[in-house]
Amino acid sequence: MGKSILVVGGGIVGLSCAYYLQKEGHEVTVIDKSAMNSGASYVNAGYLTPSHIIPLAAPGMMAKGIKWMFNSSSPFYMKPRLDADFLRWAWAFNRSSTQAHVEKAIPLIREINVLSKDLYSDMHDSGELGDFQLEKKGLLMLYKTQKEGRHEKEVARRAADEGLEVTELTREELDTIQPGLSPEIDGAVHYLCDAHTSPNEIMDRLKMYLRVQGVVIRQDEEVIGFTQNNKKITGTLTKKATYSADEVILAGGSWTSGLLKNLGIRLLLQAGKGYRINVSRPVGINLPAILMEAKVAVTPMKHFTRFAGTMEFSGINHRIRPERVEAIARAAESYYTELEILQQEKQAAQCGLRPVSPDGLPYIGKTSHYDNLTIATGHAMMGWSLGPATGKLVCELISEQTLSMSLEGFHPERRF
């Protein structure tokens, strides 16, 4: 018999939970504090990335953060601030940034990414959301320096060992598939295992599909607290109403840790701000790419090309830092000879907050505090890629089905 499910959070993770739960016959309501038309699920690079097997918490990342701490235009920026939650997170992030952690994380990241890519393909092939963009052209890692080239080739060899399809390209081979590149570019690694999409298109179609299927979506409604009895959440309070449900899923992205404080649960989580610039005119870019030295993502989406990037830890805010937008634009122009990003395009830049755990792995699963609470957040830069897999796993967990993969490595109460 179906349960009543309340999903807090209307991004790709929350909507994916709703998608699979309604298919299992559950009665689902989604609540989100926003108008559900902006944020990380709308401004990301649209990548499906089995190739991204290295977690954000890796050797050398904390050193980079400290090095770039006073450069607000750097790719990885930690704004200096005396904030207890941030300091606890930073300490755990530093402890997690080891080679042993990377080795443990690689098979987990690969497995959940491959699962999620397959689920995107299933959605596409089913026709339920219409014929949305899902292009399996792979992902280019473009590098100018031998240092970045050597590093990415090491990752590529490890990805190949994990069964992922990848090839190394010389400059001559690169020019045949992507003309117009700067002569400074030395070569590329091509992850043929990856794919790309247009996030806005999928989000809009997913919301429409869910409403038709009977899922109730409450937008512009903020959760402000909970009522509980023993180990059960009995009510979820918003500024407009109180909701009762058999199961509560917290998929509120960067806001999830704040919601959990209302339940007496501390979850180490920080908002990692990313930016995007859209160019709605032909620019001659036909393959998605990451510009290695600049850490900028380039994606040819439906009707426009997106330039996205940076990781900024400055708390929960949507302040646009012009110097960071300018850094993305300058980097893109330095990799493509005919590209010029106009001032009005830079002025229309948007940002989104990605929820980042200290070890770069998502939080997926139940806690020991409440029997009817499930957490689904902390996906860092892979939120878009991992949305469907997270939704599927949460559905299997709540429906008491065999899990598609083990959730042990993603447990919300794991130690750092």
Side-chain angles (χ1 to χ4, degrees):
M1 189 173 71
K3 300 177 181 179
S4 59
I5 314 286
L6 183 66
V7 181
V8 180
I12 186 60
V13 172
L15 293 187
S16 294
C17 290
Y19 176 82
Y20 291 104
L21 286 163
Q22 64 84 23
K23 284 182 174 294
E24 289 300 318
H26 300 294
E27 181 183 318
V28 185
T29 297
V30 177
I31 299 178
D32 194 277
K33 64 186 296 183
S34 74
M36 294 175 63
N37 58 9
S38 62
S41 292
Y42 296 85
V43 305
N44 64 83
Y47 293 159
L48 313 184
T49 51
S51 69
H52 282 27
I53 56 175
I54 307 299
L56 183 63
M61 285 306 296
M62 182 55 76
K64 287 182 180 179
I66 294 172
K67 174 184 175 183
W68 287 332
M69 187 172 284
F70 298 101
N71 178 6
S72 62
S73 64
S74 63
F76 185 70
Y77 173 57
M78 292 184 177
K79 180 182 178 181
R81 63 193 193 276
L82 291 175
D83 175 85
D85 288 339
F86 173 69
L87 293 174
R88 278 190 289 266
W89 177 91
W91 177 257
F93 181 86
N94 187 52
R95 284 177 56 86
S96 299
S97 298
T98 66
Q99 191 59 39
H101 165 63
V102 169
E103 293 300 323
K104 184 178 179 181
I106 284 174
L108 297 176
I109 296 174
R110 177 208 173 276
E111 186 175 3
I112 193 170
N113 261 296
V114 170
L115 171 63
S116 212
K117 182 187 173 187
D118 289 344
L119 292 172
Y120 269 114
S121 293
D122 291 344
M123 281 185 187
H124 184 268
D125 295 345
S126 73
E128 293 174 335
L129 306 186
D131 186 25
F132 62 81
Q133 182 192 26
L134 175 60
E135 296 192 48
K136 299 178 180 180
K137 296 180 177 180
L139 177 65
L140 292 175
M141 309 295 282
L142 302 175
Y143 56 86
K144 294 180 178 181
T145 62
Q146 291 185 359
K147 178 182 177 182
E148 286 292 348
R150 284 194 300 270
H151 169 75
E152 197 55 44
K153 287 174 183 178
E154 289 176 8
V155 176
R157 284 191 284 272
R158 184 58 194 273
D161 291 342
E162 293 290 328
L164 299 173
E165 189 177 4
V166 57
T167 187
E168 297 176 16
L169 300 177
T170 64
R171 179 57 202 248
E172 291 72 23
E173 292 170 327
L174 186 55
D175 284 336
T176 63
I177 60 175
Q178 179 58 73
L181 292 172
S182 164
E184 295 180 349
I185 296 172
D186 193 44
V189 170
H190 192 187
Y191 289 101
L192 299 164
C193 53
D194 289 1
H196 70 281
T197 61
S198 291
N200 295 61
E201 177 187 40
I202 292 176
M203 289 296 290
D204 290 344
R205 292 180 181 220
L206 191 51
K207 286 180 289 188
M208 186 182 303
Y209 170 82
L210 291 173
R211 286 188 171 108
V212 169
Q213 298 304 312
V215 173
V216 177
I217 298 178
R218 306 286 190 196
Q219 60 194 51
D220 295 313
E221 193 162 348
E222 182 178 359
V223 172
I224 57 174
F226 303 90
T227 59
Q228 59 265 357
N229 183 28
N230 294 326
K231 294 183 67 176
K232 184 173 183 179
I233 296 173
T234 55
T236 300
L237 288 62
T238 74
K239 293 181 178 180
K240 298 180 180 179
T242 298
Y243 298 87
S244 60
D246 296 324
E247 298 279 350
V248 177
I249 301 166
L250 291 189
S254 297
W255 289 265
T256 306
S257 57
L259 292 169
L260 285 167
K261 285 182 180 179
N262 293 302
L263 293 166
I265 299 174
R266 177 179 290 172
L267 190 77
L268 293 180
L269 194 72
Q270 285 293 307
K273 187 188 298 180
Y275 294 77
R276 71 93 175 119
I277 304 169
N278 288 345
V279 176
S280 301
R281 51 191 169 81
V283 292
I285 297 173
N286 52 54
L287 286 174
I290 290 181
L291 317 181
M292 293 294 298
E293 286 78 9
K295 313 303 181 194
V296 168
V298 182
T299 315
M301 296 185 180
K302 189 174 284 188
H303 309 309
F304 60 87
T305 302
R306 174 164 290 177
F307 303 88
T310 83
M311 178 65 83
E312 174 188 327
F313 293 103
S314 60
I316 293 184
N317 67 80
H318 286 90
R319 177 189 169 195
I320 300 288
R321 292 179 178 267
E323 67 270 25
R324 299 186 73 73
V325 176
E326 189 64 40
I328 292 172
R330 285 199 309 268
E333 290 168 350
S334 77
Y335 279 75
Y336 298 93
T337 56
E338 301 299 319
L339 177 65
E340 180 185 6
I341 298 180
L342 305 178
Q343 189 60 33
Q344 58 263 36
E345 292 163 340
K346 289 183 276 190
Q347 289 174 342
Q350 293 184 6
C351 67
L353 303 179
R354 297 164 292 198
V356 184
S357 69
D359 62 0
L361 298 177
Y363 294 116
I364 308 172
K366 290 184 172 290
T367 77
S368 61
H369 299 81
Y370 298 93
D371 295 332
N372 63 337
L373 172 66
T374 302
I375 296 172
T377 189
H379 297 74
M381 295 176 291
M382 294 182 288
W384 183 257
S385 186
L386 301 184
T390 303
K392 178 72 170 175
L393 290 162
V394 167
C395 176
E396 291 168 347
L397 188 64
I398 288 176
S399 303
E400 299 179 1
Q401 299 172 338
T402 302
L403 296 176
S404 296
M405 66 175 289
S406 171
L407 288 176
E408 183 179 356
F410 307 134
H411 199 287
E413 294 175 348
R414 63 186 181 269
R415 292 182 178 274
F416 300 107

